[in-house]
Amino acid sequence: MTVIVANGWQLLFKAGPMIWPLLLLSIVVLATGLRQWIQLARLAKGLDARQKQVLDVLRDGTLKEAVASCESVTDLMGEVLKAGILKFGVSRDMITGVMEETFARRARDLYSRLGILSFTTNAAVLVGILGTVNALVVLFQAAQARSNALSPLAVGDMAGAVWQALLTTAAGLFIAVV
């Protein structure tokens, strides 16, 4: 038995025409996911230290200094903390509400690309299944044509179509999993 090892380019060409939309979808998924990851990493970087700094200023200084401390860092959490500090003296529920409202207004940037990510992962699975169906249609069309000519399709010919079908399914699922 001979084992054939194919490199990436050979796999791309054996996977049939549906691999190209899958390749495009994978690029979109990777770019969008990387952008979201970087954005969240920036937000999380030093978050605890920043909160501690603002709380220390509130404990030791004035409200003006705490607001200035929040304004010195122009990120989402700085704005949320500033909104809470500016409502100092009102009820806890009011402060919480203002902070949640500020977060919701500014967090749109965090969620802005999630629709694209959701669409591309779902589309990748469906395009992979479409590639599978396409390969099987080609297989059965060839089997019918060969049987009409009294020259049955060989197992090797069928294996090529099944190989193509499995590659597109695997690619679609891989993109969705990533």
Side-chain angles (χ1 to χ4, degrees):
M1 179 191 284
T2 306
V3 178
I4 299 173
V5 179
N7 68 28
W9 287 110
Q10 289 171 332
L11 288 177
L12 278 177
F13 290 112
K14 285 186 179 194
M18 298 313 291
I19 200 68
W20 302 112
L22 285 169
L23 189 60
L24 178 65
L25 288 170
S26 70
I27 292 168
V28 171
V29 165
L30 286 173
T32 305
L34 185 63
R35 179 190 180 276
Q36 291 300 105
W37 182 76
I38 289 170
Q39 197 170 15
L40 289 173
R42 282 183 186 158
L43 178 65
K45 183 181 177 186
L47 182 62
D48 292 334
R50 193 166 34 252
Q51 285 176 325
K52 185 179 180 324
Q53 174 192 5
V54 170
L55 290 175
D56 287 345
V57 170
L58 272 175
R59 225 177 285 121
D60 300 335
T62 65
L63 290 177
K64 265 186 180 179
E65 291 172 352
V67 169
S69 176
C70 290
E71 288 175 344
S72 68
V73 182
T74 57
D75 68 352
L76 174 65
M77 289 313 294
E79 284 190 38
V80 171
L81 291 171
K82 178 183 168 186
I85 292 169
L86 290 175
K87 290 294 181 184
F88 185 77
V90 298
S91 72
R92 182 183 182 109
D93 291 336
M94 185 99 150
I95 292 171
T96 303
V98 167
M99 291 175 78
E100 287 175 355
E101 185 179 310
T102 303
F103 177 81
R105 191 175 54 248
R106 280 292 314 269
R108 276 187 237 127
D109 291 342
L110 294 174
Y111 302 115
S112 65
R113 303 283 192 261
L114 292 182
I116 294 170
L117 203 55
S118 176
F119 170 77
T120 52
T121 54
N122 289 331
V125 172
L126 295 174
V127 170
I129 292 170
L130 181 62
T132 300
V133 171
N134 182 47
L136 293 176
V137 165
V138 169
L139 170 66
F140 287 115
Q141 185 180 26
Q144 181 185 17
R146 296 282 296 268
S147 69
N148 288 343
L150 297 175
S151 173
L153 203 58
V155 174
D157 296 332
M158 286 187 266
V162 172
W163 171 253
Q164 178 181 340
L166 292 174
L167 277 176
T168 55
T169 301
L173 291 173
F174 180 76
I175 293 166
V177 167
V178 168

